[in-house]
Amino acid sequence: MNCNDRDFFGLDDATRLALSRRTFLKRSAGGIGLAALGSILAPTAFAGKPEAPGFPNFTPKAKKIIYLFQSGAPSQMDLFDPKPGMDKFRAQDLPASIRQGQRLTTMTSGQKSFPVAPSIFKFKQHGQSGLWFSEVMPHMAGKADEWCMVRSMFTEAINHDPAITFMQTGSQLAGRPSIGSWASYGLGSENDNLPNYVVMSSFGSGRPDDQPLYDRLWGAGFLPSKHQGVKLRNKGERVLYLKDPEGMSRDIRRESLDEISALNQQRHGVLGDPEIQTRIAQYELAFRMQTSVPDLLDFSKEPQHVLDLYGPDVKRPGSYASNCLLARRLCERDVRFVQLFHMGWDHHGGLPKALRGQCNDTDQATAGLLTDLKQRGLLDDTLIVWGGEFGRTIYSQGALTETNYGRDHHPRCFTVLMAGAGVKKGHVVGETDDFCYNIVKDPIHVHDLNATIMHLMGVEHTRLTYRYQGRDFRLTDIHGEVVKKVIA
Amino acid sequence: MRVRRSSLLVLLAAASAVLAEDRVEFNRDIRPIFSDTCYACHGPDEAKMKGKLRLDSLEAARRGGKSGDPAIVPGYPERSAVMKRLLTTDADDHMPPAEFHKVLSKEQIELVARWIKEGAVYQGHWAFQTPKKSAVPAIPAGGNAIDGFVAQTRAAKGLSGTPEAPRTTLLRRAALDLTGLPPTEADLAAFLADTSPDAWSKALDRLLASPHYGERMAAQWLDFARYADSNGFQSDTTRTMWPWRDWVIRAYNANKPFDAFTIEQLAGDLLPNPTEDQIVATGFNRNHRLNGEGGRIVAEWAVETVIDRVETTGSTWMALTMNCCRCHDHKYDPISQKEFYQFFAYFNSNDETGVLGEFGGAASTRKGGNTAPTYTFATPAAKARLAEVEKAIAEAELAAKAATKNVAAAQGAWERKLRQGFAGKTTTWAALTGAQAISKGGATLKQQADGSWLAGGTNPDKDVYTVTAPAPVGELTGLLLEVMPDASLPTQSLGRAPNGNFVLSGVDAILTLADGKKVELDFVDAQADFSQEGWPIKSLVEGGLATKAAKGAKKAQAARAKNGTGWAIGGNVAENRTPRKGLFVLTPTAVPAGATLTITLRCETLANHNVGRFRLSTTGLPASLVSLKDTPQATELRALILKDPAKRTADERKALAKAFSESPEHPKRSADAHLASLQNTKNMLPGLIDVMVMKELSQPKDAFVLDRGEYDKPSVKVERKLPAVLPPLPPGEPNNRLGFARWLVSGQHPLTARVWVNRAWENFFGTGLVKTSENFGSQAEWPSHPELLDWLAVDFAENGWDMKRLQKLILMSQAYRQSTVVTPEKLEKDPENRWISRGPRFRLPAETIRDQALAVSGLLVPKVGGVSVKPYMPEAVWDETSVYGDMRNYKADTGEGLYRRSLYTIWKRTAAPPSMLLFDSATREVCTVKRFRSNTPMQALSLLNEVTFVEASRKLAELTLRQTGTTDQRLAWAFQRVTSRPGTPAELAVLRKGLDRRLTAYAADLPAAKKLLANGQSAVPTDLDPAQLAAWTVTANVLLNLDETVTRE
């Protein structure tokens, strides 16, 4: 593990050759234009080889993934897992036979009673499949026949930080690589001039001050740092340090890069260290990113009917809707792993109003993304995952009234939706009890979900390991079973 | 079982064919195979053992497993079940099982066969054996002991080294390695001019003596210690740990021996009479994250905190992966789960909660701060003052103890004084008589029949009333302000504002003695019979409760006046137009005859909100009895005091004693109050800084084995004990953290010295002698130079754990001084330079890349130590994904904070400085003992475009233009300034061509030139041509981006 990671996207010998040839041409012809550069460096030359040998293990169902992470934990019984029987238990104490002495967070463990709060929202069945959706998810409901709804997810963590870290890295504690970095490490890149793992975030309107995110959620942990997610930022520069400084024209930049390259070549001639060649290549990639990223971010050529799919918010940079459209554009450009984080789902109090806000942010854009991908044929090789880090309690945190209630963290069951490449359509997996408190059928652990995601991408999760501290670590730790029931 | 006989025979034939070579050595050749492919099921973890077979000792292997067949028969591979299992084609019997995804190569199987054939000699894992100093092989001319070992191994591999690197390269290499900064021009010139044989040695001594040496070394130690300026987890609030960082820098600079460096950080608090420094040092094990998320279960995170400490200590000093045993016996190393929790027991008795404060309210959750135990650390300036206060506290503590002795006499004096005070008075409050009142704002103040003053005439924006009266002789303990409605006031209310309200923003009282000396009276408390919501009378004395903090109180009053608070009575509302009282409790003050009392009432908060009509009274009653109305107790006390002592009943005497005990004049109470006030002063002392430290509980906390590592599943209770595979605690050492720390550096410990010399080697050669520098357990890689590693380890411990000596020894070697030139042949035979066939060449660490740019551009502020600073950061660096905690709205410093060395950059764990992360720094969430070295386009973008590097380019261009000489000479100067070596004509020609083109381009586009120069906060010189400076700025940017620049060659 002597960490001379040679490249970011992975460079093959042809590329290295092309680069030195380019330098040669440059020197002999006294400068060539950008157009010529493009022809010499054909995009395919940059197809990154995976770092880990032997993957995919079998033909992948999904080549790409868009993971729509709903941070803060959406309430499953208010959105996807209707419990009409709860009306008659309204305000009654959660039966001990249901709670079974399971631990609670210290936010509600001191409550004198645990009054059952039936969902205030109406549920209906949708599509051919008859999947149930709450009234606050009308657009996602309209896609009922695309979704595979997993109602029997469970986790071990009870607080946000460890729980979201668990979902992302397979461990509650900091220090492990995130799921996107595993994909980058195992599968490499099929993209020629964008990062392989791209992350975006948005603040929700349901609870605008809610739930921070952390760099580690898309970090590389103990994997080589080139696999860490690259954040498309909402404020300032969208990709860090992408813009040339004020007062530097593209021509001057190009010329200065040529100088750097020429000087590096000369040094390579003296020392012979191949690392110098890698650096030359990385500067070229950096230059290309300077054009490819602005092109990615430019919505001006998107037709109105496409923008309309995502809803009015799409025009606001940094919104969930705008990030969804960007996700499609990244997907089109063969970026392997795209992850959106939408914050604001942590509804300890005032849930009815806050949940409406969150759904308003995300419902149309999520459905729009599905439609858009499908129309373009991208859904065939792209996996969509929608979900948070745990569920919420059936009992109300704080006072329960006719129009208001809150719900505490609930790790014992929650719902995750999947769609696209390789998963069953219009299908439900798993079942919870009448109180949406315990799983009664097909429990699916976080490690199982991650194993399944990797499986859909063609990776046998028990084989994707990285030697660290003398141990072969894997994303799913020593656990995890692929959930066959979600696979088409 | 179907074994391919033929394959075994072939194999054995092959084995005997190569027997002429070295014997197979278990540690080097077999252990890595067994550990990686067999031990998970046939190793130390008893719980996971399959087929009752262990392969980690000869005894167990001979015994065999469930089947009864010996797994290994020394000398007879064909009779050893192990071989059959490795070779069988029967999928059911084949080992390792297919689902394990481990496949042995033919060569590996062959090695196992040979090893059995040769007698199957087991060895204990090398890293757990005490290192021995073997004889140094022949030392090549001009080399040292290291080169003896290196040359021997290199020769065996058919390789040779390279000649010494050019001196310019050498000095840059050592300067960057030892100080993290490039050599200065003067250093370089001195070294080049020094032709003496020990020039290199002297140069190294200079570098090791630099104050920047400690900074460079500390930067790495911060990764180990998971140092940050934030608490981590969800809200990731601030904490103050930089004094610990300063300790590390000081320790390195003072060349504190590694044993003391270890003991003080792990257990400085337990040393006899620890010094301040030794206590601050223990911050090492408080640098971990602390969870303060709402709803977190304290017991859960308290366990995680201790486990973090165990892992960090294990990784840092022993390169052991202790964490593996949290849930089960170690898979590879002979450490059991029970031993893990015995180890845990050394670290779980810190006097702490293990989490941040309670959710919501506590300062630490949202607002940040340090968590107990803490140590108050004084800046040098505050130290003298602190000593003074501490002396006073010590005296006050003695006084408080002594105070109980003469209670009777004190009570007698108290009674006499009260009797005097009460004599001839019918009420406890006496209105000031013979007073004069003046309005500063020009209002008229007319005294009324009841002694009150009524304001009239002009009603200024803000008014201050000063009332002067002869002070009543005796004890003065309280001041009463009565405000009353008057028909002449607006809305017939109490105040002069058009709506009838007033806001009193401050009250002062000064006693002027007969000799003109002034005594400012302290306000202890304030009460009112009514305060308007949001305008409490308490706000007039808040912050001023301490008697000696009057100045602070005054400041606070002024601030309140400015901020718009004070006492109001809601006089704008009809039902509030009624007399109100405000009472101010004073520190009891003796008033001699002839003194004058001056009381100032300030109405400076809201326009025209001046008091309308008021009366002032004083009292001499004890503070505990001063009240808004004459209380029954006061009346009772008055009666008791005035009663003839001889006629008092036993009950009355008791009541009197009780009243005295509640009085501030009771010796114990007054002594306590004095002490409290001094403590308060100490706590408020400016320049005092809290730092988190270790503090052992007097009674150790119980520790248990935790089933599956879960906090709520304790099973067997365990005591502190060291893992059996390692040496025992040295005799006479306490079985606590201190004994533990001394055990690590006892010289008997097989890991500590090896781990540390290996890290030193890794720093200078890019790769350790043990490549897996983070793991020395069974899964460690076999050392490239085992004898050298052991020789260095023993030598290090024998020579007083002298860190600078060790480093100098390595840097003096020929191995280190080699040129980095590499040939294709060497790339093939020694791709990773494990055989040191050339000088080590690798990219600089994140901090050094930035520091170097600051240094060569002249921007660096070389100040050592102190609080963290805020250099340039991308917009919203902290707010992009969080609106929690107190680390929000990052604002870069102005001036020196922008240009300090990178180890001082403020570090928020969940959003660490992006340019550091891009260059592979650790996130500091957990202990990291090794960084990657990647090479990415994001790094290129950062070096090209980040404002730090653009500004550094501009300043370097400016320095270059200020050199005398021709353009070519200046280019040569700049090239050497950055790389330390002279550029070749071909290199300088490339630079010249680019520069000339840009000179033309910027001359034609001055606005662009000026825009480029506007990057960064430092001033742009007005005497230089903008086009020139811009063109040179780009050239400097090219230089800062060279591969050579970001690499130590």
Side-chain angles (χ1 to χ4, degrees), chain B residues 621-645:
Chain B
L621 265 189
S624 59
L625 299 172
V626 173
S627 152
L628 281 167
K629 47 183 186 269
D630 288 347
T631 61
Q633 291 100 309
T635 318
E636 193 183 325
L637 179 68
R638 186 182 149 79
L640 278 176
I641 289 285
L642 294 176
K643 191 168 180 180
D644 180 356

Side-chain angles (χ1 to χ4, degrees), chain A residues 179-379:
Chain A
I179 184 165
S181 68
W182 278 111
S184 168
Y185 160 72
L187 296 167
S189 173
E190 299 196 349
N191 173 280
D192 58 338
N193 49 17
L194 284 170
N196 206 10
Y197 176 21
V198 175
V199 174
M200 291 171 271
S201 66
S202 45
F203 284 103
S205 59
R207 236 192 112 183
D209 62 342
D210 195 31
Q211 293 313 328
L213 300 171
Y214 335 103
D215 282 349
R216 93 177 78 94
L217 299 177
W218 47 90
F222 51 63
L223 281 179
S225 23
K226 67 178 175 184
H227 298 298
Q228 73 196 14
V230 171
K231 181 119 197 317
L232 283 185
R233 308 174 78 250
N234 296 326
K235 290 181 183 163
E237 279 187 276
R238 298 302 293 274
V239 167
L240 281 176
Y241 317 127
L242 189 76
K243 265 170 56 186
D244 293 325
E246 289 283 308
M248 177 173 295
S249 67
R250 286 306 277 162
D251 284 349
I252 289 181
R253 171 56 82 216
R254 181 64 254 167
E255 282 175 21
S256 74
L257 288 177
D258 289 342
E259 260 173 88
I260 293 168
S261 175
L263 291 169
N264 284 343
Q265 281 294 354
Q266 290 193 20
R267 195 64 184 154
H268 181 258
V270 174
L271 296 176
D273 185 349
E275 187 71 9
I276 303 176
Q277 293 292 6
T278 309
R279 187 150 339 265
I280 293 170
Q282 300 305 359
Y283 272 74
E284 290 307 321
L285 290 169
F287 184 75
R288 289 148 65 90
M289 274 179 71
Q290 289 187 300
T291 12
S292 59
V293 172
D295 176 64
L296 166 79
L297 298 170
D298 178 11
F299 289 179
S300 65
K301 295 197 183 78
E302 290 286 345
Q304 190 58 42
H305 71 270
V306 171
L307 293 175
D308 289 344
L309 287 173
Y310 294 84
D313 239 11
V314 75
K315 298 229 168 94
R316 183 167 59 86
S319 69
Y320 179 83
S322 163
N323 288 348
C324 279
L325 179 53
L326 270 174
R328 190 218 79 207
R329 294 172 65 88
L330 284 161
C331 195
E332 275 176 325
R333 288 160 174 76
D334 286 326
V335 169
R336 173 83 59 197
F337 206 108
V338 178
Q339 195 162 20
L340 269 63
F341 290 85
H342 189 63
M343 297 174 259
W345 292 96
D346 189 30
H347 302 152
H348 290 278
L351 183 142
K353 180 164 179 268
L355 195 69
R356 280 196 182 91
Q358 291 297 111
C359 291
N360 202 34
D361 297 338
T362 58
D363 175 48
Q364 183 176 357
T366 305
L369 174 63
L370 247 58
T371 308
D372 201 7
L373 289 171
K374 190 162 186 179
Q375 283 170 358
R376 289 161 200 263
L378 291 167
L379 204 52

Side-chain angles (χ1 to χ4, degrees), chain B residues 8-39:
Chain B
L8 183 55
L9 289 175
V10 168
L11 208 85
L12 290 172
S16 45
V18 288
L19 269 182
E21 278 187 23
D22 280 354
R23 283 173 64 86
V24 179
E25 201 176 330
F26 179 79
N27 269 342
R28 182 187 60 205
D29 307 316
I30 304 301
R31 181 190 294 279
I33 301 173
F34 277 13
S35 181
D36 196 33
T37 59
C38 313
Y39 284 177

Side-chain angles (χ1 to χ4, degrees), chain A residues 277-481:
Chain A
Q277 293 292 6
T278 309
R279 187 150 339 265
I280 293 170
Q282 300 305 359
Y283 272 74
E284 290 307 321
L285 290 169
F287 184 75
R288 289 148 65 90
M289 274 179 71
Q290 289 187 300
T291 12
S292 59
V293 172
D295 176 64
L296 166 79
L297 298 170
D298 178 11
F299 289 179
S300 65
K301 295 197 183 78
E302 290 286 345
Q304 190 58 42
H305 71 270
V306 171
L307 293 175
D308 289 344
L309 287 173
Y310 294 84
D313 239 11
V314 75
K315 298 229 168 94
R316 183 167 59 86
S319 69
Y320 179 83
S322 163
N323 288 348
C324 279
L325 179 53
L326 270 174
R328 190 218 79 207
R329 294 172 65 88
L330 284 161
C331 195
E332 275 176 325
R333 288 160 174 76
D334 286 326
V335 169
R336 173 83 59 197
F337 206 108
V338 178
Q339 195 162 20
L340 269 63
F341 290 85
H342 189 63
M343 297 174 259
W345 292 96
D346 189 30
H347 302 152
H348 290 278
L351 183 142
K353 180 164 179 268
L355 195 69
R356 280 196 182 91
Q358 291 297 111
C359 291
N360 202 34
D361 297 338
T362 58
D363 175 48
Q364 183 176 357
T366 305
L369 174 63
L370 247 58
T371 308
D372 201 7
L373 289 171
K374 190 162 186 179
Q375 283 170 358
R376 289 161 200 263
L378 291 167
L379 204 52
D380 297 335
D381 66 356
T382 305
L383 173 67
I384 310 290
V385 182
W386 188 107
E389 66 270 38
F390 39 63
R392 307 210 76 91
T393 55
I394 188 72
Y395 65 79
S396 180
Q397 175 172 352
L400 167 69
T401 70
E402 283 298 317
T403 55
N404 203 5
Y405 52 88
R407 300 193 192 277
D408 198 5
H409 307 169
H410 188 61
R412 313 247 308 142
C413 64
F414 62 108
T415 301
V416 162
L417 307 182
M418 298 171 91
V423 298
K424 285 183 182 156
K425 295 172 189 296
H427 187 72
V428 174
V429 176
E431 197 179 319
T432 57
D433 65 14
D434 293 345
F435 289 80
C436 210
Y437 208 85
N438 303 294
I439 294 167
V440 295
K441 194 178 155 203
D442 296 331
I444 295 170
H445 188 271
V446 171
H447 288 320
D448 302 332
L449 176 70
N450 288 347
T452 309
I453 291 171
M454 294 320 278
H455 176 90
L456 288 166
M457 299 192 83
V459 172
E460 161 60 52
H461 71 107
T462 58
R463 288 184 186 229
L464 184 59
T465 60
Y466 188 79
R467 174 63 65 99
Y468 172 67
Q469 290 184 335
R471 189 187 140 193
D472 290 327
F473 280 86
R474 62 190 213 214
L475 173 64
T476 49
D477 202 341
I478 53 166
H479 312 282
E481 297 284 341

